[in-house]
Amino acid sequence: MLAERWGVMRRETVVAERLRAVAAVLDLGADDPLSRVADLLDVPGVPGAEFDVNALVDAVLGPDGES
């Protein structure tokens, strides 16, 4: 993704935006786990994550980060 290559957007933020888009399409509320994960990904260092952040990012963006 161009924003990531230029250093203006972290991979985690790109994934957070995609998860929010999915949550919106599914009409999920802010308390839904998908929305909460998106919020966690927006915080640098992803404090309190109970999941493998890198695995999630790779699953959404692909291991090369360009999906």
Side-chain angles (χ1 to χ4, degrees), residues 37-62:
V37 166
D39 290 342
L40 276 174
L41 288 172
D42 262 343
V43 179
V46 194
E50 296 178 359
F51 55 90
D52 183 338
V53 174
N54 291 325
L56 176 60
V57 170
D58 286 346
V60 174
L61 298 180

Side-chain angles (χ1 to χ4, degrees), residues 4-44:
E4 181 191 333
R5 283 190 208 146
W6 285 358
V8 294
M9 190 176 292
R10 297 171 33 254
R11 294 178 74 219
E12 294 85 356
T13 301
V14 173
V15 172
E17 290 302 312
R18 290 186 183 188
L19 294 179
R20 284 191 186 97
V22 169
V25 168
L26 297 174
D27 197 27
L28 302 175
D31 290 337
D32 186 80
L34 192 60
S35 299
R36 288 193 309 258
V37 166
D39 290 342
L40 276 174
L41 288 172
D42 262 343
V43 179

